[in-house]
């Protein structure tokens, strides 16, 4: 990207970015998995939020040059799409099984077995974070670490349950109509990027709106019903012995849920990063805010940024804006403390 000191140098030729789609048959139906990178490397699996897939949920963080250099250098990425949410998905057949959140978690272990994967790093957003956390509770030995973005762990509140019921009825009778899209965008993004009468909505929101229009409403309805009937898994969080890094936007409707989850995780192995002026989908709205916490979190596993890559001061996270605790040996090694770290958009 040039020779200036404030740029990131990434040799794009040395890292394979060509993804390959796999349709994996499981005991609970087929699952689409997009694989990026060298399959000899450790695995990082992702799971998106409701009505999204990897293109609409993780493109921001994975296409950010700094994150690209960090993640693709160290991992092979396995993007798991919820059933019927993959690119170009057809309407699911009435003969396809109706899955619960437990079924979705169990599908993941079948995907790992298909690719002959052992322990994996997991990254999920909201509903996807819940499913990966449930997977980690059920299959503790298969999880190396959890990177959770605006996660859920409790059963739906009355407010969320009612909103989901409204969306369920709209999806059933009207399909992916304008109102459903607006409710989903409220779920994903802060008001700063959703726009107003005076300020147009941001490019990332416009792109997400277009991608939502490509979703098959019956498929989204199935996942929404599973998420709306999810049980509280708070009691299982203490079973987790893997390290966990939680991101949450301060404008996320699930902000309090993320704080609750952090309070229930083992304090020795978890850390919290709050991002100001950001909604639930930090991966798309403020992916730069994830870079330095991710880098220090992964250092604890022995993963490093390639030597030719430099951290860009473009990021809203300069070293001076991060709690000194994040640089402690515990954060970089065996023990992660729960940290309430706030970042503003000002550099």
């Amino acid at each position: 990207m040039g020779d200036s000191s404030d740029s990131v140098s990434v040799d794009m030729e040395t890292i394979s970015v060509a993804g390959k789609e796999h349709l994996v048959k499981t005991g609970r139906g087929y699952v689409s998995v997009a694989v990026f990178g060298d399959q000899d490397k450790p695995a990082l699996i992702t799971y998106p939020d409701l009505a999204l897939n990897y293109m609409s949920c993780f493109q921001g963080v994975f296409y950010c040059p700094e994150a690209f250099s960090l993640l693709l250098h160290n991992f092979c990425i396995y993007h798991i799409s919820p059933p019927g949410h993959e690119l170009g998905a057809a309407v699911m057949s009435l003969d396809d099984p109706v899955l619960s959140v437990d079924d979705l978690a169990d599908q993941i272990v079948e995907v790992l077995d298909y690719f002959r994967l052992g322990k994996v790093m997991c990254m999920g957003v909201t509903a996807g974070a819940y499913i990966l956390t449930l997977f980690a509770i059920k299959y503790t030995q298969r999880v190396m670490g959890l990177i959770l973005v605006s996660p859920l762990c409790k059963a739906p509140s009355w407010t969320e349950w009612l909103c989901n019921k409204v969306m369920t009825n709209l999806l059933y009778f009207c399909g992916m109509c304008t109102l459903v899209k607006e409710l989903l965008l409220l779920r994903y993004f802060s008001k700063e990027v959703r726009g107003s009468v005076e300020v147009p909505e941001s490019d990332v929101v416009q792109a997400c709106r277009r991608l939502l229009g490509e979703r098959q409403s019956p498929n989204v309805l199935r996942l929404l019903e599973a998420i709306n009937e999810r049980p509280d898994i708070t009691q299982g969080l203490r079973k987790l012995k893997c390290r966990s890094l939680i991101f949450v936007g301060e404008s996320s409707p699930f902000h309090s849920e993320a704080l609750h989850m952090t309070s229930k995780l083992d304090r020795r192995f978890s850390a919290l990063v709050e991002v100001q002026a950001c909604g639930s989908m930090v991966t798309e709205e403020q992916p730069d805010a994830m870079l330095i916490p991710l880098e220090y979190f992964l250092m604890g596993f022995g993963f490093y940024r390639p030597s030719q890559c430099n951290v860009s001061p473009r990021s809203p996270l300069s070293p001076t804006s991060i709690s000194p605790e994040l640089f402690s040996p515990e954060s970089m090694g065996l023990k992660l403390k729960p940290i309430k770290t706030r970042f503003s958009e000002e550099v």
Side-chain angles (χ1 to χ4, degrees):
M1 292 176 58
D3 297 327
S4 69
S5 60
D6 63 348
S7 66
V8 176
S9 173
V10 181
D11 185 358
M12 305 294 273
E13 298 299 322
T14 63
I15 304 176
S16 172
V17 294
K20 182 178 180 181
E21 294 275 351
H22 297 258
L23 198 59
V24 180
K25 185 178 181 179
T26 73
R28 298 161 183 81
Y30 286 91
V31 178
S32 177
V33 183
V35 181
F36 290 77
D38 181 354
Q39 289 185 252
D40 290 331
K41 293 182 177 181
L44 186 155
I45 66 172
T46 73
Y47 211 102
D49 192 15
L50 173 71
L52 303 175
N53 53 43
Y54 73 93
M55 286 298 293
S56 47
C57 194
F58 297 104
Q59 184 169 255
V61 69
F62 280 97
Y63 281 24
C64 176
E66 297 96 329
F68 178 93
S69 67
L70 176 64
L71 297 175
L72 268 295
H73 176 75
N74 290 294
F75 297 100
C76 180
I77 314 300
Y78 296 79
H79 292 297
I80 302 175
S81 292
H85 283 57
E86 65 272 13
L87 296 172
V91 176
M92 297 178 70
S93 168
L94 293 176
D95 296 329
D96 290 329
V98 177
L99 303 183
S100 66
V101 287
D102 274 291
D103 293 328
L104 295 170
D106 292 338
Q107 275 188 329
I108 295 172
V109 78
E110 294 189 66
V111 168
L112 300 194
D113 291 341
Y114 175 86
F115 289 105
R116 298 181 180 178
L117 301 176
K119 278 194 170 186
V120 297
M121 186 70 69
C122 300
M123 179 186 291
V125 177
T126 311
Y130 176 93
I131 292 165
L132 289 178
T133 303
L134 179 58
F135 165 71
I137 292 170
K138 297 180 73 172
Y139 302 96
T140 308
Q141 300 305 315
R142 304 299 293 270
V143 178
M144 182 190 314
L146 289 170
I147 302 165
L148 307 175
V149 182
S150 303
L152 308 172
C153 68
K154 295 190 290 186
S157 65
W158 280 109
T159 303
E160 184 196 348
W161 183 88
L162 182 59
C163 180
N164 289 345
K165 278 296 182 183
V166 170
M167 282 199 289
T168 297
N169 289 329
L170 287 170
L171 284 166
Y172 184 82
F173 290 108
C174 308
M176 186 59 75
C177 61
T178 300
L179 182 53
V180 171
K181 291 179 185 177
E182 291 302 325
L183 290 171
L184 288 170
L185 292 173
L186 281 168
R187 174 188 178 97
Y188 306 148
F189 298 110
S190 68
K191 62 182 180 181
E192 285 80 5
V193 295
R194 290 200 313 272
S196 62
V197 176
E198 297 82 11
V199 181
E201 63 185 19
S202 69
D203 291 342
V204 68
V205 175
Q206 291 179 27
C208 187
R209 186 188 296 277
R210 288 193 298 271
L211 290 168
L212 287 174
E214 299 173 6
R215 298 280 74 76
Q216 299 288 358
S217 53
N219 303 356
V220 176
L221 176 57
R222 283 171 171 249
L223 180 59
L224 176 58
E225 289 180 330
I227 294 301
N228 211 31
E229 295 172 5
R230 69 182 187 269
D232 189 320
I233 57 173
T234 301
Q235 293 302 314
L237 296 178
R238 283 289 177 181
K239 297 179 183 178
L240 296 177
K241 297 304 178 185
C242 63
R243 301 174 205 160
S244 303
L245 178 61
I246 296 178
F247 294 92
V248 64
E250 288 197 330
S251 300
S252 168
F254 307 109
H255 179 261
S256 61
E257 183 104 356
L259 299 185
H260 169 79
M261 183 172 183
T262 304
S263 72
K264 301 301 180 181
L265 286 167
D266 191 323
R267 291 171 177 260
R268 297 171 297 167
F269 306 116
S270 60
L272 171 68
V273 178
E274 294 179 85
V275 184
Q276 289 183 355
C278 188
S280 299
M281 201 155 40
V282 184
T283 51
E284 291 294 316
E285 189 170 342
Q286 290 197 40
D288 281 346
M290 300 178 66
L291 296 175
I292 292 178
L294 269 178
E295 185 164 6
Y296 281 89
F297 177 70
L298 294 177
M299 277 184 182
F301 298 90
F303 298 120
Y304 296 89
R305 186 185 301 278
S307 57
Q308 69 268 28
C309 299
N310 302 310
V311 176
S312 170
R314 290 192 296 109
S315 169
L317 298 179
S318 65
T320 56
S321 69
I322 302 175
S323 166
E325 291 182 61
L326 197 60
F327 294 96
S328 71
E330 290 152 305
S331 293
M332 296 171 61
L334 294 175
K335 296 181 180 179
L336 282 168
K337 293 182 178 180
I339 304 165
K340 188 173 183 181
T341 310
R342 298 177 181 271
F343 306 110
S344 67
E345 291 183 309
E346 296 179 2
V347 180

